[in-house]
Amino acid sequence: MNTENFAISVEGYEIVNHILTLGYASMAAALLFFIMTKNSCLPKYRMSSVISVVVMTSALLLLYTQKLSWTSAYAFTGDGYTLKAGADLFTNGYRYLNWLIDVPMLLIQILFVAEITGSDRARYMTRFSISGCLMIITGYIGQFYEPGRLNESLFLWGLWGLISTAFFIYVLVMIKQVILHGKEHMEGSPQRLFGAILPLFYISWWLYPLAYAAPILMNLGISYEFTIVGQQVIYTVADISSKIIYGVMLTVTASMLSEKSTLQTA
Ligand code: RET
C-alpha cells in the first residue's frame, strides 16, 4: 500500500479528533440529562427516557472507541499525518455494530410517546427491529467494499447499499405512520413539537447513507483527506441529531403531555 495516498494535514487530523471527542462528550452530557429528567414524565412515557439512556451508553462507548481507532491509525510525519505502517486501519465498522443496537431502540422509543399500545405496538416493534437490523447488516457488508479500501468493489458496494436503502425506505414509511398516529392524540404545543420530529428524522437519518456514499468522491478526484474528514463530520452531526435532539424532543413532548393530564385530573 502506498501510504502517501493516505496523507492528511494537521488540521484535517485534528478536526476529526475533535469532532469525535465532541461526539462522545455530548453523549455523556445527554446521558445525565435523560437520567435526571426521567421522572418528569408519567410512567407510561418513561420507557422513552430509559431507551435514551441505553442509546447514550452504547454511543458513548462506540464514539470513544472510534476516536481511539483514529488516533492509533495515524502517525505524525513532521508536517502532517499518514497511516501508520503496521497499525490497525481506521474503520467505521464499529459504528454499524452500534447502530444494530441503537436503530431498533430509537424506532421503538417513539411508540411510547405516540401512545401506540397493545398488538399495534408489538407489530411495529417487530417490523422496526427486523427492517432496521437488515438495513444495518446489509450496509455493514457493503462498507467492506467501499472505494479506497483494499478490497474495493464499486459493484458490491453499490448493490449492498441499494438493498440497505430498500429497508430504509420501509422504515421511513412506518415512522411517518407512527408520527401521524401520535399527533392525533395530541393538541397545541406537544403536537407541534412531536410533529417536528418527522423532518428532523428525514434529515438526520438520510445523513447516514450520505456518509456511506462519501468515499465515491475519491473516484471523482476529490482528496482522501476531504472525503474522510467530511465523512466523520457528517456522522457526528447525524449522531447528535438522531439520538440526542430526537430523544430530547420526545422527552419534552412526554413531559408536556404529562403535565397536561396531571392538571386535567387535579
Ligand atoms: C447504510 C448503508 C447505505 C444505505 C443506507 C444506510 C442507512 C443507514 C441509516 C443509519 C441510521 C443510524 C442511526 C444511528 C443512531 O444511532 C447502512 C449507511 C440507507 C439510516 C439512526
Side-chain angles (χ1 to χ4, degrees), residues 26-262:
S26 338
M27 299 298 152
L31 174 64
L32 287 181
F33 171 86
F34 290 117
I35 294 174
M36 291 189 311
T37 52
K38 187 175 134 276
N39 291 339
S40 69
C41 308
L42 289 174
K44 64 177 174 180
Y45 301 122
R46 274 182 210 159
M47 189 49 88
S48 168
S49 301
V50 172
I51 293 180
S52 274
V53 169
V54 173
V55 168
M56 291 309 120
T57 310
S58 112
L60 172 60
L61 292 172
L62 157 271
L63 289 168
Y64 186 65
T65 316
Q66 196 73 37
K67 184 208 124 88
L68 292 184
S69 167
W70 179 254
T71 43
S72 61
Y74 289 89
F76 187 56
T77 56
D79 60 351
Y81 285 83
T82 194
L83 275 182
K84 225 188 266 180
D88 282 352
L89 292 176
F90 177 62
T91 167
N92 283 309
Y94 300 113
R95 291 186 183 277
Y96 288 73
L97 303 175
N98 163 254
W99 300 342
L100 215 43
I101 303 171
D102 286 358
V103 162
M105 290 289 131
L106 292 168
L107 294 170
I108 289 172
Q109 166 175 26
I110 196 170
L111 300 174
F112 294 89
V113 182
E115 296 195 35
I116 293 177
T117 52
S119 61
D120 279 348
R121 182 189 290 174
R123 192 165 43 90
Y124 273 118
M125 276 177 149
T126 319
R127 292 187 181 174
F128 273 149
S129 308
I130 296 177
S131 52
C133 288
L134 288 173
M135 170 182 88
I136 302 304
I137 294 168
T138 49
Y140 177 67
I141 302 174
Q143 58 88 36
F144 283 114
Y145 302 107
E146 78 180 12
R149 282 185 71 103
L150 283 181
N151 45 354
E152 137 173 5
S153 158
L154 277 186
F155 174 72
L156 290 174
W157 173 72
L159 180 69
W160 286 108
L162 281 179
I163 299 175
S164 171
T165 306
F167 292 114
F168 181 42
I169 304 285
Y170 182 62
V171 165
L172 291 179
V173 170
M174 282 195 298
I175 202 77
K176 187 171 178 193
Q177 286 170 3
V178 167
I179 293 180
L180 293 182
H181 178 281
K183 275 174 75 179
E184 282 170 20
H185 297 275
M186 304 175 193
E187 50 188 29
S189 18
Q191 190 192 49
R192 277 194 299 280
L193 182 61
F194 188 75
I197 292 178
L198 190 59
L200 171 85
F201 197 98
Y202 283 156
I203 297 170
S204 60
W205 283 54
W206 269 111
L207 292 176
Y208 292 93
L210 190 72
Y212 177 93
I216 194 72
L217 291 176
M218 289 191 282
N219 293 35
L220 302 174
I222 309 271
S223 71
Y224 170 73
E225 168 162 4
F226 182 86
T227 307
I228 197 156
V229 174
Q231 192 187 43
Q232 296 310 311
V233 172
I234 296 174
Y235 273 138
T236 305
V237 173
D239 280 341
I240 293 179
S241 341
S242 71
K243 297 187 236 251
I244 302 181
I245 301 180
Y246 171 79
V248 169
M249 284 166 90
L250 285 175
T251 299
V252 176
T253 306
S255 67
M256 288 196 292
L257 292 171
S258 305
E259 215 168 279
K260 265 199 181 164
S261 58
T262 325

